[in-house]
Amino acid sequence: MWIDTHCHLDAHEFGAESLDVARRAGEGGVSMIVIPAVERGNFEVVAQLAANAPNASYALGIHPIYVPQALDEDLVALRTAVEAAMNEPRFVAIGEIGLDFFIPMLCEPAMREKQERFFREQLRIARDFDLPVLTHVRRSQDQVLKHLRQVRPAGGIAHAFNGSFQQAETYIKLGFHLGFGGAMTFTRALQIRRLASELPMEALVLETDAPDISPSWIHPGRNSPEQLPAIGAALAQLRGMDEGALRQCAWNNSLAAIPRLQALLVS
């Protein structure tokens, strides 16, 4: 069975279909879908969605793209929500958090500072509750790594990894796993495919980032957790591995990256 370690199942692109999508993914072999929050306003939404989908869990966090409109009190609300959720089995991580220096507005000095401040505070929350983090890293690999070295959370996943081999090695030394999904299915994505095929398999986890980052066979259509088994098969082909062996390894890696999943998946 497969684990989708990063899927925005609550996104508006799914409309009222979210639970049906989760059900179909489960029927196709996806045992678990991790749904990260992106802002205070959807904390309850992702929690409720995970409660209603038997093969879903959730994370809480403030995404860097939502930092411009976020308030300092949202960080207080996040800490309060995390403390309250620690007794909920389907709450598994802090995320999606991180830094985005791709969007021009987010690169302005004041917004860079605010992003980094929000990221550090969320790392502290993760550290204080011994939770892994699901990190957004876009044009910001070295800056994210700097903060991870300074505030050391309990591991996590570098979502949609697209850095260098040296940066990958640093993440791994910090106890992180690296997320790969639809981007590696494009033959022109030479660097991502090289990373996916040559990095230690023990460091990799699978994700869809649905509804975004669609694999080549449905691009530019809406991505879905239903695509994860085919994405896993593509990774197996890239690495020259038996698909069953890769699936088992990815499963083990996902449980290592997000330990609270074990109570949901391992009897």
Side-chain angles (χ1 to χ4, degrees):
M1 303 292 275
W2 302 93
I3 298 174
D4 186 347
T5 60
H6 199 111
C7 172
H8 297 282
L9 196 59
D10 63 308
H12 69 86
E13 287 89 344
F14 290 113
E17 293 183 70
S18 295
L19 292 177
D20 286 337
V21 169
R23 176 185 53 77
R24 291 195 302 267
E27 291 169 353
V30 181
S31 300
M32 182 54 59
I33 302 164
V34 181
I35 312 168
V38 294
E39 62 172 335
R40 180 181 179 181
N42 82 325
F43 289 177
E44 182 58 33
V45 174
V46 297
Q48 193 60 48
L49 186 52
N52 290 331
N55 59 331
S57 57
Y58 71 101
L60 295 175
I62 300 169
H63 191 295
I65 291 177
Y66 288 81
V67 164
Q69 61 263 42
L71 305 173
D72 285 352
E73 65 191 57
D74 294 344
L75 292 169
V76 176
L78 174 61
R79 182 176 286 274
T80 300
V82 168
E83 184 173 14
M86 289 301 293
N87 290 326
E88 297 180 16
R90 292 187 179 272
F91 171 61
V92 297
I94 300 295
E96 180 176 354
I97 68 173
L99 299 173
D100 191 310
F101 297 145
F102 173 75
I103 299 172
M105 183 268 290
L106 295 177
C107 296
E108 295 172 3
M111 198 51 60
R112 285 179 69 105
E113 186 280 330
K114 187 177 182 184
Q115 277 197 74
E116 296 198 49
R117 182 165 57 83
F118 268 65
F119 183 41
R120 288 181 69 88
E121 181 55 34
Q122 293 183 90
L123 289 178
R124 291 188 185 101
I125 293 171
R127 182 191 61 192
D128 292 349
F129 289 94
D130 196 30
L131 291 165
V133 296
L134 310 178
T135 61
H136 176 96
V137 188
R138 190 156 63 158
R139 299 272 178 92
S140 59
Q141 299 281 356
D142 288 334
Q143 295 92 335
V144 166
L145 284 167
K146 177 190 76 173
H147 293 296
L148 291 176
R149 283 191 292 261
Q150 292 174 353
V151 184
R152 301 294 293 269
I157 297 171
H159 158 57
F161 183 73
N162 187 20
S164 67
F165 280 88
Q166 182 180 17
Q167 289 164 336
E169 184 178 52
T170 304
Y171 276 111
I172 294 167
K173 287 180 179 177
L174 289 170
F176 272 68
H177 289 72
L178 310 171
F180 285 86
M184 70 181 171
T185 66
F186 291 85
T187 56
R188 66 180 182 272
L190 299 179
Q191 173 66 359
I192 293 177
R193 287 168 71 85
R194 184 166 164 253
L195 288 163
S197 61
E198 297 181 14
L199 286 170
M201 184 59 215
E202 293 71 23
L204 309 189
V205 296
L206 289 166
E207 60 183 27
T208 61
D209 197 32
D212 298 323
I213 316 187
S214 301
S216 58
W217 51 85
I218 59 170
H219 181 79
R222 184 190 75 182
N223 198 7
S224 164
E226 298 163 86
Q227 301 299 324
L228 193 73
I231 291 171
L235 179 59
Q237 184 175 23
L238 266 179
R239 297 186 67 94
M241 285 181 68
D242 171 76
E243 185 179 323
L246 182 136
R247 182 172 63 245
Q248 184 62 56
C249 192
W251 172 278
N252 294 340
N253 297 347
S254 300
L255 297 187
I258 310 176
R260 285 173 68 94
L261 289 177
Q262 296 185 42
L264 296 173
L265 293 167
V266 180
S267 59

